[in-house]
Amino acid sequence: TKHYNVAVLAGDGIGPEVMAEAIKVLEVVADKFQFGLTLTPALVGGAALDATGEPLPDETLALCKNSDAILFGSVGGPKWTGLAPDKQPERGSLLPLRKTFDLFCNLRPGQIYPAFADLSPLHPRVSSLGMDVLCVRELTGGIYFGEKGRSEDAAFDTQRYSVAEISRIARVAFAAAQKRSKKVTSIDKANVLQTSILWRETVEQIAKEFPDVALEHMYIDNAAMQLIRSPQQFDVLLCDNLFGDILSDEIAAIAGSLGLLPSASLNGSGFGLYEPAGGSAPDIAGKGIANPIAQILSAALMLRYSFGEEAAAQAIEQAVQHCLEQHIVTRDINPKSTYGTAAVGAAIVATL
Amino acid sequence: TKHYNVAVLAGDGIGPEVMAEAIKVLEVVADKFQFGLTLTPALVGGAALDATGEPLPDETLALCKNSDAILFGSVGGPKWTGLAPDKQPERGSLLPLRKTFDLFCNLRPGQIYPAFADLSPLHPRVSSLGMDVLCVRELTGGIYFGEKGRSEDAAFDTQRYSVAEISRIARVAFAAAQKRSKKVTSIDKANVLQTSILWRETVEQIAKEFPDVALEHMYIDNAAMQLIRSPQQFDVLLCDNLFGDILSDEIAAIAGSLGLLPSASLNGSGFGLYEPAGGSAPDIAGKGIANPIAQILSAALMLRYSFGEEAAAQAIEQAVQHCLEQHIVTRDINPKSTYGTAAVGAAIVATL
Ligand SMILES: CC(C)[C@H](C(=O)O)[C@@H](O)C(=O)O
Ligand SMILES: CC(C)[C@H](C(=O)O)[C@@H](O)C(=O)O
């Protein structure tokens, strides 16, 4: 039988409590769909800083290298703000993991679920039209990783993109669109940036490999506006690292349900890091009220993208959907709800 | 008596028709508040491209140099897309004007007017709390104007900021906040960018000159999210060139009323370019239905910031407010309205 090794990096804040539910769910589906799983925990973020002085200790990195995927919780909190950038829990763990494993492709779906349209901060006349967007973000290039420097009275950052970097992320976006509504909106600032002109040209070339997918280009400023005015116009958004960072959070805000949004960060050989889109939410940590669904759906994405266990992934997604329909949700989704983290996790397990 | 020379660059699309109303308003207040005005039109954007092959002809630039301010309409349209970036109507006129006149400071107010909260695409539970934001955007530095280049298979752009550039725009933001709700939210990506670390440090220094103003820092991705979730939390947003481009358009979308939003781009000696936040709207051009208010309010900002004619500026703003209260508005504000561009302009003139 197949066997998968998962590095489990729960992190800080609500990370450990939502991860506990995801682990229960994974164990149930492994049993049901007959594959083996070894889930090995390791320290990351603030918890790792406190224990070792590093947000991503060598030991954790070594575990990740010996695993088939990383299931990530969330990191950071007030205790660790004010540290130098390299030491910060979020940046100090996520950026080196992305670079080490060449996780060039970040997938962030964002939906307004019709039954939960009222969660969206958009007006009902907009949110009732729905939203079903997949943000495909380049994750290992651009201004994040270009040459940067600092003198006494000035600083600089460089955004650099190659045709190869743009091509590989564009192919992911077009292939994803083929399985969805067959439309890619490529985001750039080609009226100002040379990298954006190259981006646009390269995306045009790749589009020829996918004649059944419609392509449009949109400036980042206009996209920031259009997402609010009529998010239902979008299917797949293709973004560079910086623009994807901004728009994927804007999409999450529009969905209104951070606690439901998973994400996947993939490389070219099936390895990936899977994490909820929301943060460590230190204000509600330890209270047993955090929503475990984004973490559980992140585990489903891991089964799909890294292990090819599509049936197991779908089973989890259907169980989640079922609980949502039964209104078995935490209070971020329904303020009147009395279900906590463990109760929602247990309901999903029971459905499975 | 005082006398001001204004370069009037109406441009394309709805530019000329809304500019006609702003000119009527300016002539009335000049008379009422007893100052002289010479309003000299010149070609810009697509109109200039058609006539001269350049989006910003030498003659137009010469006129601007001999004027005390530039009143700008809007440029661009489907006819001129696909041109090289330097020739594009918007970029090819605005960027050189900003650089030539050192217009480092872009002011873009964005409000949700209580009486028009329903214009906002936000949910009433959010929009009813209101929004009154001033976006202060650095306009002559950053990745827009840094070194950029292109090879066969790669391209780069450089973002560069100096302490001096950051300081001067920060001072504008703090001084503006002093006259408003005394809070500055400085936007950066200090967990990734060296320029953002310098930005944050420099803003902290300048904040000491304004002890009565509260300062907070926010990452650009979080700001893109927070603006949608609770825009009422913001007073003055201080942004670099790129982040300001994105957030000011996001704010405009949230306000929901592009046709009401003016903007000012200023240098250190009182010279400025004033333009509506919306575009040239080619789809409605020539129909007499475009909203002239953003252009008229841009003229008011010119009187305030470039000419120091505060009373005249306020008179215009009050007349606009009065027409809004009387529901004398174009159909972008009220779809059932039968008022056109000229009728709204005439009502504002009559109120004055
Ligand atoms: C923590 C930070 C460096 C990171 C990013 O900007 O990529 C985060 O915002 C994200 O989107 O995962
Ligand atoms: C036309 C373009 C270069 C410009 C910018 O990006 O600054 C526009 O979007 C703006 O905000 O005035």
Side-chain angles (χ1 to χ4, degrees):
Chain A
T1 70
K2 284 169 284 177
H3 193 100
Y4 311 109
N5 295 311
V6 179
V8 177
L9 278 47
D12 311 315
I14 61 169
E17 54 201 285
V18 295
M19 187 64 87
E21 303 310 315
I23 288 174
K24 286 180 207 159
V25 168
L26 280 171
E27 282 166 348
V28 171
V29 293
D31 203 46
K32 188 166 170 191
F33 292 90
Q34 306 201 348
F35 52 84
L37 265 185
T38 302
L39 303 167
T40 312
L43 291 172
V44 74
L49 272 165
D50 287 352
T52 72
E54 296 293 334
L56 183 68
D58 289 344
E59 229 184 298
T60 299
L61 195 59
L63 171 71
C64 294
K65 285 184 179 159
N66 288 320
S67 301
D68 302 308
I70 303 168
L71 191 59
F72 197 94
S74 52
V75 292
K79 189 173 168 190
W80 307 283
T81 52
L83 293 173
D86 286 359
K87 293 278 177 184
Q88 281 166 23
E90 272 199 287
R91 192 212 117 107
S93 59
L94 287 171
L95 295 195
L97 283 171
R98 291 174 189 168
K99 207 63 191 178
T100 303
F101 296 101
D102 196 24
L103 306 174
F104 71 90
C105 169
N106 181 230
L107 302 178
R108 281 204 26 200
Q111 287 103 13
I112 296 179
Y113 292 92
F116 295 93
D118 209 50
L119 284 177
S120 169
L122 293 191
H123 197 286
R125 72 172 177 261
V126 184
S127 62
S128 63
L129 302 176
M131 169 174 82
D132 184 0
V133 183
L134 176 68
C135 184
V136 177
R137 170 186 173 195
E138 202 289 328
L139 205 59
T140 48
I143 202 162
Y144 275 65
F145 294 100
E147 203 196 334
K148 42 191 84 222
R150 170 75 185 264
S151 66
E152 179 82 34
D153 61 356
F156 75 96
D157 295 278
T158 316
Q159 160 129 310
R160 195 176 291 276
Y161 268 113
S162 69
V163 169
E165 286 174 304
I166 301 166
S167 301
R168 68 176 179 172
I169 191 70
R171 280 199 184 92
V172 173
F174 283 101
Q178 272 183 328
K179 296 189 184 168
R180 296 173 41 102
S181 302
K182 301 195 162 44
K183 179 175 166 190
V184 169
T185 304
S186 175
I187 307 301
D188 64 42
K189 187 77 193 175
N191 49 356
V192 173
L193 304 179
Q194 283 288 337
T195 44
S196 282
I197 295 174
L198 184 69
W199 183 275
R200 203 174 262 225
E201 288 174 13
T202 308
V203 172
E204 291 276 356
Q205 286 304 318
I206 302 299
K208 293 182 185 157
E209 301 169 16
F210 302 85
D212 54 332
V213 177
L215 167 65
E216 69 175 5
H217 303 281
M218 194 177 278
Y219 294 139
I220 175 66
D221 46 334
N222 191 26
M225 189 179 267
Q226 294 301 328
L227 273 168
I228 297 172
R229 292 167 72 127
S230 58
Q232 81 286 353
Q233 74 186 279
F234 297 107
D235 177 22
V236 173
L237 282 183
L238 168 60
C239 302
D240 73 16
N241 206 344
L242 182 63
F243 294 159
D245 180 49
I246 298 167
L247 292 190
S248 61
D249 269 16
E250 191 176 331
I251 291 165
I254 290 169
S257 48
L258 265 187
L260 302 178
L261 300 177
S263 80
S265 302
L266 310 171
N267 69 16
S269 31
F271 187 88
L273 179 154
Y274 302 85
E275 60 173 330
S280 62
D283 48 318
I284 60 160
K287 296 189 178 161
I289 58 172
N291 192 340
I293 290 183
Q295 188 75 60
I296 290 168
L297 290 176
S298 297
L301 293 183
M302 175 178 79
L303 296 178
R304 170 172 298 129
Y305 293 121
S306 283
F307 307 155
E309 297 284 352
E310 180 62 28
Q314 282 185 21
I316 294 177
E317 286 163 353
Q318 279 156 16
V320 166
Q321 197 58 47
H322 182 257
C323 284
L324 287 174
E325 280 158 13
Q326 304 296 309
H327 298 278
I328 303 174
V329 292
T330 43
R331 58 183 86 163
D332 51 314
I333 304 298
N334 175 3
K336 294 196 192 114
S337 173
T338 54
Y339 292 98
T341 311
V344 170
I348 293 169
V349 164
T351 308
L352 281 163
Chain B
T1 71
K2 284 171 284 179
H3 193 100
Y4 311 109
N5 295 311
V6 180
V8 177
L9 277 46
D12 310 317
I14 60 169
E17 53 202 285
V18 295
M19 187 65 87
E21 303 310 314
I23 287 174
K24 286 180 206 159
V25 168
L26 279 172
E27 282 167 348
V28 170
V29 292
D31 202 46
K32 190 167 168 188
F33 292 89
Q34 305 203 349
F35 52 83
L37 266 185
T38 302
L39 304 167
T40 311
L43 292 172
V44 75
L49 272 165
D50 287 351
T52 71
E54 297 293 333
L56 183 67
D58 289 345
E59 230 184 299
T60 299
L61 196 58
L63 171 71
C64 293
K65 285 183 179 158
N66 288 319
S67 301
D68 302 308
I70 303 168
L71 190 59
F72 197 93
S74 51
V75 292
K79 189 174 170 189
W80 307 282
T81 52
L83 294 172
D86 286 359
K87 292 278 176 182
Q88 281 165 23
E90 271 198 288
R91 193 212 117 107
S93 58
L94 286 171
L95 296 194
L97 282 171
R98 290 173 189 168
K99 208 63 191 178
T100 304
F101 295 102
D102 196 24
L103 305 174
F104 71 91
C105 168
N106 182 230
L107 302 178
R108 282 204 26 198
Q111 288 104 13
I112 296 179
Y113 292 92
F116 295 93
D118 209 51
L119 284 177
S120 170
L122 293 191
H123 197 287
R125 71 172 177 262
V126 185
S127 62
S128 64
L129 301 175
M131 169 175 82
D132 184 0
V133 183
L134 176 68
C135 184
V136 177
R137 170 187 174 195
E138 201 289 328
L139 204 59
T140 47
I143 202 162
Y144 276 63
F145 294 100
E147 203 195 334
K148 42 193 82 221
R150 170 74 185 266
S151 66
E152 181 82 34
D153 60 358
F156 74 95
D157 295 277
T158 317
Q159 160 130 311
R160 195 176 290 278
Y161 268 113
S162 69
V163 170
E165 285 174 305
I166 302 166
S167 301
R168 67 176 181 172
I169 191 69
R171 282 201 181 91
V172 173
F174 283 101
Q178 273 183 328
K179 296 190 183 167
R180 297 173 41 103
S181 302
K182 299 195 164 40
K183 179 173 166 191
V184 168
T185 304
S186 175
I187 307 301
D188 64 43
K189 187 76 192 174
N191 49 356
V192 173
L193 304 180
Q194 283 289 337
T195 43
S196 282
I197 296 174
L198 184 69
W199 182 275
R200 204 174 261 225
E201 289 174 13
T202 307
V203 171
E204 291 277 356
Q205 286 305 318
I206 301 299
K208 294 181 186 157
E209 301 169 17
F210 301 84
D212 55 332
V213 177
L215 168 65
E216 69 176 5
H217 302 282
M218 193 176 279
Y219 294 139
I220 175 68
D221 46 335
N222 191 26
M225 189 179 268
Q226 294 301 327
L227 272 169
I228 296 172
R229 292 166 72 128
S230 59
Q232 81 287 351
Q233 74 186 279
F234 297 107
D235 177 22
V236 172
L237 282 182
L238 168 59
C239 302
D240 73 16
N241 205 343
L242 183 62
F243 295 159
D245 181 48
I246 299 167
L247 293 190
S248 61
D249 268 15
E250 191 177 331
I251 291 165
I254 291 168
S257 48
L258 265 187
L260 302 179
L261 300 177
S263 81
S265 302
L266 310 172
N267 70 16
S269 30
F271 188 88
L273 180 154
Y274 301 85
E275 59 172 331
S280 61
D283 49 319
I284 60 161
K287 296 188 178 160
I289 58 172
N291 191 339
I293 289 181
Q295 188 74 60
I296 290 168
L297 290 176
S298 297
L301 294 184
M302 174 178 80
L303 296 178
R304 169 173 298 130
Y305 293 121
S306 283
F307 307 155
E309 297 284 352
E310 180 62 29
Q314 283 187 20
I316 294 175
E317 286 163 354
Q318 279 156 16
V320 166
Q321 197 59 47
H322 182 257
C323 285
L324 287 173
E325 281 158 13
Q326 304 295 309
H327 297 278
I328 304 175
V329 293
T330 43
R331 58 184 85 164
D332 52 313
I333 304 299
N334 175 4
K336 294 197 193 113
S337 173
T338 54
Y339 292 98
T341 311
V344 170
I348 293 169
V349 164
T351 308
L352 282 163

